[in-house]
Amino acid sequence: AAGVKNPKAERRGPRALNADEAVALAAAPAAAPAADGSAASCRDLALAEKRLLETLTSPKDSFITRHVNRRISLAVTRHLAQTPVTPNAVTLFNLGLGLLGAACMVAGTRWWQSLGALLFLASSILDGCDGEIARLKYQESKLGAWIETFGDYSYYLAIFVGLTVGVVRQTH
């Protein structure tokens, strides 16, 4: 049944690209646009970029991750992918952001704890960027995965310790 569309496949959303398609799309931004700057070439480039970024999502993503966190992290990843920033650098930045949020929690005042919560939220949203960049730039590694896991658990623990210390300080 050549040429017959599978309606189930259309409902599942965009299909993941294979490695050859991803490489071809990744090379597309480097290709020169049409000399006339036609809208078609700009649309093609935008579509290729959108499809490539869609391959970075996971069907296991939760509702909040899919509809909030990924929208922001993919926008950040889109810009960071054009820089020499490495996935491990993003992981370390994210760890610093989470630890800064924990330090704010220790202060024990509403203002500082609110700032700490916002920093923790930002860290949670940006947590996907390191993996997205690693997959996009083909820089995945066991060491990078270990650093990311260690960093995540470190700032999770720090947030809870900071929040606990802050609440105790508030009550005394």
Side-chain angles (χ1 to χ4, degrees):
V4 176
K5 290 185 178 181
N6 179 353
K8 284 186 179 180
E10 289 179 18
R11 282 193 300 253
R12 281 192 297 251
R15 70 174 177 81
L17 300 178
N18 65 35
D20 293 333
E21 291 171 321
V23 169
L25 285 175
D36 63 358
S38 67
S41 64
C42 294
R43 277 194 309 270
D44 292 344
L45 185 58
L47 178 62
E49 183 177 75
K50 181 177 183 251
R51 287 195 58 210
L52 182 59
L53 289 172
E54 285 173 349
T55 66
L56 302 176
T57 62
S58 170
K60 295 178 184 178
D61 285 348
S62 69
F63 180 84
I64 294 294
T65 300
R66 184 174 37 258
H67 295 287
V68 179
N69 294 8
R70 282 279 184 218
R71 287 179 186 233
I72 298 169
S73 72
L74 286 173
V76 171
T77 295
R78 187 173 142 249
H79 293 290
L80 289 178
Q82 299 171 24
T83 70
V85 170
T86 65
N88 290 344
V90 174
T91 299
L92 294 175
F93 173 80
N94 200 37
L95 172 60
L97 200 60
L99 293 177
L100 186 59
C104 290
M105 294 287 188
V106 170
T109 66
R110 250 189 218 135
W111 191 91
W112 282 106
Q113 287 182 336
S114 296
L115 178 60
L118 288 174
L119 290 170
F120 181 70
L121 177 62
S123 185
S124 174
I125 291 170
L126 297 177
D127 185 40
C129 291
D130 50 6
E132 293 164 359
I133 290 170
R135 290 187 298 277
L136 193 60
K137 291 183 172 186
Y138 296 101
Q139 294 178 343
E140 295 173 290
S141 71
K142 287 183 182 182
L143 176 63
W146 183 87
I147 293 170
E148 201 265 341
T149 300
F150 179 80
D152 285 353
Y153 290 138
S154 296
Y155 81 79
Y156 296 159
L157 178 63
I159 285 290
F160 287 112
V161 169
L163 186 56
T164 302
V165 170
V167 168
V168 168
R169 290 181 76 188
Q170 257 181 349
T171 58
H172 287 92

